[in-house]
Amino acid sequence: MKHIRKMIVAVLVSIAVIIFIYNFTSNSERKFVKVNDASDTPLTTFTVINNENFAGTTNTHRFDIRAGFSYVKVSFKNTGSKHFTFTINEGSTSGTAIKSGSVPADGKEHTYYSDKALSTGSYYVSTSSAQGMSGILDLSLGTDVN
C-alpha cells in the first residue's frame, strides 16, 4: 500500500512540475488570428488605395466606404512640375463634394482629412490639371477624424 501511495504522489508531483514548466515557458496571452478571421481588436484604419501612380490631365479613382469606417484620409505626392487640384465626391464623379483642394508641386506628401463622418457607399477621388500632372495617391478609411 505504501508503494502505491509513493507512486501516486510521484505522478502528481510530476504532473505539477510539467504544468508549472509549461505555464512558465509559454505565453498564455498570445493569440493567433488567421487571415479573414474576426479579431476582437477593432481596426482603426483600412488602406483602400496604396501608392497608386497617376498622370495626365485628369484621373478618377473609385473607392467604397464599408461599415465601421466613417472618415477618409487622402495623401498626395505631386511629382510633377505644376500644382493640381483634387475633389472627393459621394456617389458619382459629379456627386456631393466631400473635400477638395490644391496640391503644390513641391515633391512633398500632402495629407487631407474628411472632417465629417461619411456614410457607407461609393466615393470618387478625382485629380486634374491643365498642364498635365504626375503623382502618387494613398487613401485610407478611419474610424475617427484622425
Side-chain angles (χ1 to χ4, degrees):
M1 193 71 153
K2 284 186 174 186
H3 182 65
I4 293 175
R5 283 186 189 159
K6 286 182 181 180
M7 287 185 64
I8 292 174
V9 169
V11 168
L12 291 175
V13 168
S14 297
I15 291 172
V17 168
I18 291 170
I19 291 172
F20 175 77
I21 291 172
Y22 175 78
N23 285 336
F24 183 77
T25 59
S26 71
N27 182 354
S28 63
E29 296 297 317
R30 188 178 314 170
K31 293 181 183 179
F32 295 97
V33 179
K34 292 182 191 173
V35 175
N36 298 328
D37 278 358
S39 171
D40 58 355
T41 305
L43 291 174
T44 57
T45 61
F46 178 71
T47 300
V48 179
I49 300 172
N50 189 23
N51 291 324
E52 182 77 23
N53 290 316
F54 60 91
T57 56
T58 62
N59 283 280
T60 301
H61 293 84
R62 179 178 180 250
F63 65 95
D64 294 317
I65 295 183
R66 64 185 207 180
F69 296 93
S70 300
Y71 295 90
V72 174
K73 172 184 148 185
V74 62
S75 297
F76 297 99
K77 187 175 203 179
N78 187 344
T79 57
S81 59
K82 304 287 184 186
H83 80 281
F84 63 84
T85 60
F86 77 92
T87 305
I88 299 174
N89 298 87
E90 181 178 11
S92 70
T93 56
S94 59
T96 303
I98 303 302
K99 190 78 175 173
S100 62
S102 180
V103 181
D106 59 6
K108 297 178 183 176
E109 185 174 289
H110 296 273
T111 303
Y112 305 87
Y113 300 89
S114 62
D115 51 358
K116 294 180 184 175
L118 304 174
S119 59
T120 58
S122 298
Y123 292 81
Y124 296 81
V125 58
S126 302
T127 55
S128 65
S129 175
Q131 294 87 14
M133 62 186 158
S134 64
I136 298 171
L137 166 65
D138 289 315
L139 192 137
S140 299
L141 305 179
T143 57
D144 60 37
V145 75
N146 293 319

